[in-house]
């Protein structure tokens, strides 16, 4: 029974942690959808709600020993794991297609840079984190109406790039938000003194190669956690079936004992003397 309880409560705790996290994600998504009505908020709602439902099956099934819910939880986890593996294989086999789609997505994000504050912050974070600018190069920012490099563009930021493209100086305490002004008119060698010139596709690829062990470790850790939860769910289902089988086998004997315990006390006080009388 110690092994059974260990499986049961370990599975419950794991599911409960993810259940709370999913509830927070869904709540943040709902708040974002109500406040700003943006697509990323809808994505958080969908992901958070799906996780909430799946982990609910695991929590309630583990706590109440409900094999139906545990089987649903187990089946969904197996399906998710298989989909993740399939996505990895497809991404590896069709790398060019994935990169092309990613490039299109990033280009659309650059075009809408000033239209969405959250999107603007996300792009700035990516460019700072991966030391990159634009999608393929810093001149991609000419696709944005504010940074478009045309003589007819009235914007003060024309032919420039966002400040998140700027190369940070050591011991710099005050951020120069105008450091990217006019750099699109410069050659790459000259512009590289003030801003990052490589695109974010290349920057992300270089960061991934540099931190390959970290990326592989996080990915493997997530897969291992999923496999462990699948094993715990399967283990608890097996225990429940064994207990039910033992109960079914022991049911006739228990009914017989209950029958004997019901009739025997009525004759328990009689002895041979009483009978002879």
């Amino acid at each position: 029974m110690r092994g059974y309880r260990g499986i049961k409560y370990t599975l419950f705790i794991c599911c409960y942690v993810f259940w709370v996290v999913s509830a927070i994600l869904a709540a943040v998504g709902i708040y974002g959808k109500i406040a700003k009505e943006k697509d990323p908020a809808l994505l958080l709602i969908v992901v958070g709600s799906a996780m909430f439902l799946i982990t609910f099956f695991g929590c309630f099934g583990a706590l109440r020993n409900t094999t139906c819910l545990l089987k649903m939880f187990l089946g969904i986890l197996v399906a998710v794991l298989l989909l993740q593996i399939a996505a990895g294989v497809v991404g590896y086999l069709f790398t060019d297609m994935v990169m092309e789609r990613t490039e299109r997505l990033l280009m659309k994000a650059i075009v809408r840079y000033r239209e969405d504050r959250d999107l603007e912050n996300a792009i700035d974070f990516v460019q700072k984190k991966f030391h990159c600018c634009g999608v393929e190069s810093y001149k991609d920012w000419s696709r944005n109406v504010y940074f478009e490099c045309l003589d007819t563009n009235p914007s003060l930021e024309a032919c420039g790039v966002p400040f998140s493209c700027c190369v940070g100086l050591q011991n710099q305490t005050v951020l120069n938000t105008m450091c990217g002004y006019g750099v699109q008119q410069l050659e790459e060698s000259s512009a590289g003194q003030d801003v990052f010139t490589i695109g974010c596709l290349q920057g992300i690829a270089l960061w991934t190669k540099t931190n390959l062990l970290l990326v592989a470790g996080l990915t493997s850790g997530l897969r291992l956690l999923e496999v462990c939860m699948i094993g715990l769910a399967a283990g608890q289902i097996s225990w429940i079936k064994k207990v039910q089988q033992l109960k079914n086998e022991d049911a006739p004997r228990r009914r017989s004992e209950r029958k004997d315990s019901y009739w025997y006390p009525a004759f328990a006080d009689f002895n041979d003397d009483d009978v002879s009388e």
Side-chain angles (χ1 to χ4, degrees):
M1 292 302 293
R2 289 182 180 178
Y4 165 71
R5 288 171 182 168
I7 292 174
K8 174 180 179 177
Y9 291 111
T10 302
L11 178 61
F12 172 76
I13 292 172
C14 290
C15 291
Y16 182 77
V17 171
F18 281 100
W19 193 44
V20 173
V21 172
S22 63
I24 294 173
L25 286 177
V28 171
I30 293 172
Y31 170 78
K33 187 66 177 177
I34 294 174
K36 299 185 178 182
E37 298 184 356
K38 300 298 181 182
D39 293 337
L42 181 60
L43 180 62
L44 283 178
I45 294 174
V46 172
V47 174
S49 300
M51 285 181 58
F52 185 87
L53 182 62
I54 294 169
T55 50
F56 172 78
F57 290 155
C59 282
F60 194 79
L63 191 63
R64 301 297 299 174
N65 298 325
T66 308
T67 55
C68 179
L69 293 179
L70 286 173
K71 287 179 180 179
M72 292 177 63
F73 175 72
L74 177 62
I76 294 173
L77 276 188
V78 171
V80 169
L81 182 61
L82 292 176
L83 286 175
Q84 290 173 345
I85 296 173
V89 173
V90 171
Y92 178 77
L93 295 177
F94 301 95
T95 303
D96 294 337
M97 183 184 296
V98 173
M99 294 297 289
E100 182 180 352
R101 300 253 178 167
T102 305
E103 181 180 351
R104 290 179 183 176
L105 182 63
L106 291 176
M107 284 296 186
K108 289 181 180 179
I110 284 179
V111 172
R112 297 177 53 197
Y113 178 72
R114 293 295 191 196
E115 300 176 9
D116 188 339
R117 186 65 179 175
D118 294 333
L119 180 62
E120 181 178 335
N121 292 332
I123 293 175
D124 288 337
F125 171 79
V126 170
Q127 293 189 144
K128 290 179 183 178
K129 175 66 177 178
F130 300 105
H131 296 169
C132 59
C133 188
V135 180
E136 294 181 347
S137 74
Y138 64 102
K139 292 189 177 182
D140 290 333
W141 280 102
S142 191
R143 294 174 178 266
N144 186 281
V145 293
Y146 293 95
F147 301 100
E148 189 175 12
C149 197
L150 293 176
D151 295 335
T152 56
N153 188 357
S155 173
L156 295 175
E157 297 176 304
C159 296
V161 295
F163 71 93
S164 55
C165 290
C166 297
V167 178
L169 302 177
Q170 291 184 352
N171 301 324
Q172 183 180 16
T173 56
V174 179
L175 180 64
N176 180 14
T177 58
M178 300 178 64
C179 61
Y181 279 33
V183 296
Q184 290 188 51
Q185 296 175 320
L186 303 176
E187 295 296 329
E188 185 174 348
S189 57
S190 300
Q193 298 177 3
D194 298 318
V195 299
F196 303 112
T197 56
I198 66 170
C200 287
L201 279 179
Q202 184 180 354
I204 294 172
L206 290 174
W207 183 89
T208 304
K209 291 180 181 179
T210 305
N211 300 273
L212 186 60
L213 291 177
L214 176 61
V215 174
L218 291 175
T219 305
S220 300
L222 178 61
R223 302 292 183 275
L224 181 61
L225 180 60
E226 292 175 354
V227 171
C228 288
M229 294 179 70
I230 289 172
L232 289 171
Q236 186 170 357
I237 292 172
S238 177
W239 271 97
I240 293 172
K241 287 183 177 179
K242 287 181 180 179
V243 172
Q244 290 176 344
Q245 184 178 0
L246 290 174
K247 285 184 176 180
N248 292 334
E249 293 175 354
D250 199 38
R253 184 180 63 84
R254 290 191 176 184
R255 285 197 296 266
S256 176
E257 288 179 352
R258 285 197 298 268
K259 183 177 180 180
D260 291 343
S261 63
Y262 178 78
W263 290 103
Y264 183 75
F267 304 96
D269 296 331
F270 285 92
N271 51 36
D272 295 340
D273 296 335
D274 296 328
V275 175
S276 62
E277 292 175 357

